[in-house]
Amino acid sequence: MPKSKRLLALMMTVNRKRKFTVKELAQEFEVSSRTILRDLQELSELGVPLYSEVGPHGGYQVLNERILPPIAFTEEEATAIFFACHALRHYAYLPFKTEASSALSKFYNYMSGDVRDRIDQMKNRVDFITPSRHSESLYLSILLDAAIDQKVMLIDYESREGIASREIQPIGIYASNGLWYCPAYCFLRGEIRVFRCDRMHSAVYASSASKPMDLRHVHLGNRESLSKAEEEEVILHVELSKEGVQKCEAELWAGSKLLIRNDGTGWLEGNIGKSDILFFAKFVLGLGNEATVKSPPELVDAMKEMMAKIMAKYNCE
C-alpha cells in the first residue's frame, strides 16, 4: 500500500478506535512496528491529537477532540458549507462560536484559489440576515450539554416579578429572530416552559436533591405537545390575509397552527393555553388589519383592553 493511502487509512482507523497499540496497527496494516511509529509521528505533526501511555496496559489513544479524516467536496458543496457557517456570524453568541470560527477559517484556507475567489465574490451578494441584538446569552454551551446529558440546572432568571432562582432540566436551545430560547422542564411550575437565554443571569449544574427526569423522548420538535398538558385550553381561530400569512410564516411557534389556502390567505387554528392569551393578543395586534380574530372571545377582550390602554396613553377618546 502506498504511504499516502496508508496514512489516510491509518487516520481513519485511529479515529475509529478508542485505544490501540503499535503492534496491533502493525499487524492490521502488515508493516513493521517502526513504520507504524513513523506514521503515527507524521499524523501527530498533521494535527491528530495522539498521546501515549507507558506500562503493561499502555498504548496510544486519541484525545476527545478527534480530527475527522479528509473528505472530498465538490465546488458547490464547499460553497454551500462555507456560507452555512458564514451566516452564523450575525449571532454574537453561539454554543460553539470559537469552534465554528476555527472550522470556517480552516475550511476557507484549504480551498483552492479559484474556489476562494468565487466565495469572495459571493460574500457581498448572498446573506442570511438575522436581527442584531444587544442582549447577552452567555450560557448556551452548558444549556446544550445539560439537554444532551439529561442534567438539572440552577439558573437565576429575570422575569416580570424580578430575578429568582429556578431549577430546570433543558430540552434544547434554539434561535429565533436573533434571540436564543431554552425549552426546559421547570421543577417549580411542574411543566415545560420556554426561557429566554439572555434573561439568565447565571446557570450552573444543580447540586440539590432534584432528580433528573427521563426526557430523552422529548425534543424541540415535539415538546409543545407535551407542555401544559393539564392547563385549561381554548380554541384559537384567526383569519389571515396574504401578508398576515407571510408574517406568521416567520414565527417558529406558528408552524403547527398555520394553514394556508390556494390563494395565499390562511388562518391560525389550534388549542392554546389560557396563560398564552396575552402573548397572542400582542402578536395579533402587531398584524393590524392583516388578521381577524374569530375565537376565543378571551383573546378579543385582551386585545380591546390593550388598545384601550394605548388610546389612554395618548389621551385619545
Side-chain angles (χ1 to χ4, degrees):
M1 179 187 295
K3 181 179 179 181
S4 59
K5 290 186 177 180
R6 188 177 68 248
L7 285 175
L8 177 58
L10 184 61
M11 181 183 293
M12 298 176 69
T13 299
V14 300
N15 270 282
R16 186 178 68 251
K17 291 178 177 289
R18 282 187 164 279
K19 190 174 181 179
F20 52 89
T21 64
V22 170
K23 184 178 180 180
E24 291 171 352
L25 294 179
Q27 291 174 348
E28 183 173 343
F29 286 89
E30 298 180 347
V31 296
S32 67
S33 295
R34 181 175 297 179
T35 298
I36 288 295
L37 284 171
R38 286 200 301 266
D39 289 348
L40 290 176
Q41 178 64 32
E42 289 195 37
L43 290 185
S44 180
E45 292 173 355
L46 289 172
V48 178
L50 297 170
Y51 77 97
S52 61
E53 294 179 338
V54 297
H57 302 291
Y60 281 83
Q61 280 188 279
V62 181
L63 296 175
N64 289 333
E65 298 177 357
R66 297 187 178 184
I67 292 181
L68 296 176
I71 302 174
F73 294 103
T74 66
E75 179 178 330
E76 292 76 13
E77 289 172 337
T79 302
I81 293 174
F82 177 88
F83 279 100
C85 293
H86 185 62
L88 297 176
R89 76 190 188 284
H90 293 298
Y91 284 92
Y93 296 90
L94 291 168
F96 36 73
K97 187 175 182 64
T98 302
E99 293 82 357
S101 177
S102 175
L104 190 61
S105 177
K106 289 181 181 179
F107 198 66
Y108 180 81
N109 289 331
Y110 278 98
M111 288 178 180
S112 61
D114 58 331
V115 176
R116 286 202 303 268
D117 291 342
R118 180 171 174 79
I119 285 177
D120 290 339
Q121 291 294 322
M122 293 178 65
K123 280 182 179 178
N124 295 324
R125 302 184 183 277
V126 60
D127 205 352
F128 305 87
I129 299 300
T130 301
S132 177
R133 304 286 186 175
H134 298 291
S135 54
E136 296 182 339
S137 296
L138 303 176
Y139 306 104
L140 299 178
S141 295
I142 192 172
L143 291 170
L144 180 57
D145 288 342
I148 295 171
D149 298 332
Q150 300 280 292
K151 292 185 177 181
V152 179
M153 299 200 66
L154 178 66
I155 64 172
D156 287 332
Y157 191 73
E158 182 178 354
S159 63
R160 293 189 183 92
E161 292 75 27
I163 300 176
S165 294
R166 299 273 193 98
E167 283 190 342
I168 64 170
Q169 186 172 332
I171 293 170
I173 56 175
Y174 67 87
S176 179
N177 291 323
L179 294 173
W180 283 94
Y181 298 86
C182 176
Y185 181 83
C186 177
F187 286 86
L188 176 65
R189 304 300 182 189
E191 62 185 16
I192 295 175
R193 293 286 184 95
V194 178
F195 297 88
R196 279 260 302 265
C197 296
D198 58 300
R199 293 179 179 171
M200 296 182 185
H201 291 256
S202 68
V204 296
Y205 290 119
S207 57
S208 66
S210 293
K211 185 178 179 181
M213 302 182 65
D214 186 2
L215 298 179
R216 287 172 293 181
H217 64 294
V218 186
H219 51 75
L220 297 181
N222 67 5
R223 49 101 183 172
E224 282 191 359
S225 62
L226 301 171
S227 63
K228 301 182 179 179
E230 299 180 358
E231 182 183 1
E232 185 178 355
E233 294 183 332
V234 291
I235 299 175
L236 174 74
H237 187 115
V238 181
E239 287 291 327
L240 301 167
S241 67
K242 290 182 180 180
E243 186 175 344
V245 167
Q246 292 171 359
K247 290 183 178 180
C248 288
E249 285 179 322
E251 299 294 330
L252 185 66
W253 57 264
S256 61
K257 295 179 173 62
L258 180 60
L259 301 168
I260 305 175
R261 301 184 180 94
N262 291 333
D263 63 358
T265 65
W267 70 99
L268 290 171
E269 184 176 81
N271 293 336
I272 62 172
K274 283 196 170 183
S275 63
D276 291 328
I277 292 291
L278 289 179
F279 167 81
F280 282 97
K282 292 179 181 178
F283 177 76
V284 175
L285 281 177
L287 296 178
N289 289 328
E290 310 304 326
T292 304
V293 177
K294 299 297 184 180
S295 67
E298 294 93 333
L299 177 55
V300 176
D301 292 340
M303 292 170 60
K304 288 180 178 179
E305 184 177 347
M306 287 183 180
M307 287 188 288
K309 290 181 179 178
I310 294 173
M311 297 286 282
K313 183 177 182 179
Y314 295 100
N315 298 319
C316 298
E317 296 181 358

